């Protein structure tokens, strides 16, 4: 994938297509789809969607989060993409490119519904965002953090060519995150051409739906 010359080159894609997924900026109508993905996953996603005393996270709470995520996306701040089945529209997960990694760097974060794991779809989603970060955002480094007991995420980071840099002790990057140790993985721009993300077929479309890659 090559990015176009001129003004479009600096505009982030709003929609991405991979062989099996549609990734896009989220909309108000996605709140119910997001709630279904979270509720159907139960304890598997409690870290991302902690239950309240009244039960699972409400539809209004999901809508409020989507409203904030969409605002950040439109302001070219953190960019969260929902991942959907192209044929059915079912929401499978969410992947974000987060701007707290420093200059010319992005952090990647994601979640995926439990009944869609084990098929390589989460890896495909993360690969698409890695490709976007290096080829559109032109970052020099990407970071991926996970809890020490999150073997799935650690294995994915290694599959995608990230290097384990160490264990960060007693960290909390956001108020809604639990405090604790984190494993730190990084991928450099010089290493990206040798990764599976670089080989992923990807189509990208701008805010107006025009193809830009």
């Amino acid at each position: 994938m090559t990015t176009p010359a001129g003004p479009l080159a600096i505009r982030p894609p709003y929609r991405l297509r991979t062989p099996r997924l549609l990734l896009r900026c989220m909309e108000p109508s996605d709140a119910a789809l997001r709630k279904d993905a979270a509720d159907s996953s139960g304890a598997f996603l409690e870290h991302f969607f902690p239950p309240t005393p009244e039960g699972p996270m409400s539809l209004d709470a999901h809508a409020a989060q989507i409203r904030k995520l969409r605002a950040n996306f439109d302001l070219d701040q953190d960019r969260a993409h929902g991942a959907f089945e192209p044929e059915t529209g079912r929401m499978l997960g969410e992947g974000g490119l987060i701007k707290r990694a420093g200059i010319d760097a992005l952090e990647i974060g994601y979640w995926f519904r439990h009944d869609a794991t084990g098929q390589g779809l989460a890896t495909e989603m993360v690969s698409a965002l890695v490709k976007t970060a290096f080829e559109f955002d032109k970052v020099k480094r990407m970071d991926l953090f996970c809890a020490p007991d999150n073997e799935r995420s650690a294995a994915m980071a290694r599959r995608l060519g990230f290097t384990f840099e160490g264990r960060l002790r007693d960290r909390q990057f956001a108020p809604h995150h639990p405090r604790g140790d984190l494993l730190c993985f990084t991928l450099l721009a010089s290493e990206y051409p040798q990764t599976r993300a670089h080989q992923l077929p990807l189509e990208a479309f701008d805010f107006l739906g025009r193809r830009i890659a």
Side-chain angles (χ1 to χ4, degrees):
M1 182 180 73
T2 57
T3 54
L8 283 179
I10 61 171
R11 298 180 189 173
Y14 267 67
R15 187 159 56 95
L16 302 165
R17 279 298 307 266
T18 69
R20 296 184 292 169
L21 296 172
L22 168 65
L23 278 63
R24 59 169 173 78
C25 179
M26 287 184 290
E27 305 169 353
S29 59
D30 296 328
L33 299 174
R34 193 173 189 257
K35 179 171 171 55
D36 173 70
D39 292 355
S40 67
S41 298
F44 184 73
L45 289 178
E46 278 188 358
H47 172 67
F48 294 95
F49 306 106
T52 68
E54 293 74 32
M57 189 171 154
S58 70
L59 179 64
D60 286 344
H62 280 282
Q65 286 192 357
I66 287 176
R67 183 170 179 264
K68 182 177 180 180
L69 293 172
R70 176 64 189 241
N72 287 338
F73 199 119
D74 287 336
L75 291 171
D76 288 337
Q77 297 174 0
D78 296 343
R79 305 202 309 271
H81 290 81
F84 301 86
E85 287 180 339
E87 298 82 9
T88 67
R90 185 172 73 132
M91 187 171 186
L92 301 178
E94 194 173 283
L97 295 172
I98 307 166
K99 288 191 172 183
R100 62 186 176 199
I103 297 171
D104 292 332
L106 287 170
E107 177 188 338
I108 191 159
Y110 69 94
W111 60 263
F112 221 72
R113 66 187 297 152
H114 187 254
D115 61 6
T117 59
Q119 305 169 51
L121 291 169
T123 300
E124 189 168 315
M125 175 184 72
V126 173
S127 295
L129 295 178
V130 168
K131 191 178 185 85
T132 298
F134 282 113
E135 299 195 15
F136 277 91
D137 296 276
K138 303 297 182 183
V139 298
K140 296 179 180 177
R141 189 191 79 249
M142 291 202 73
D143 294 344
L144 188 156
F145 300 97
C146 67
D149 61 353
N150 191 341
E151 296 178 0
R152 285 177 178 268
S153 288
M156 178 190 291
R158 292 187 171 96
R159 282 199 304 274
L160 293 180
F162 282 72
T163 295
F164 175 62
E165 290 203 346
R167 183 168 180 148
L168 307 182
R169 299 184 300 162
D170 193 31
R171 299 300 175 99
Q172 185 177 19
F173 288 150
H176 61 284
H177 291 168
R179 193 170 193 89
D181 291 2
L182 291 171
L183 303 185
C184 173
F185 296 85
T186 61
L187 179 66
L188 304 182
S190 59
E191 300 164 337
Y192 164 68
Q194 287 74 51
T195 66
R196 61 193 297 172
H198 181 261
Q199 303 300 323
L200 179 73
L202 183 70
E203 297 176 348
F205 303 84
D206 70 5
F207 178 74
L208 296 178
R210 296 173 295 194
R211 183 170 175 176
I212 53 177

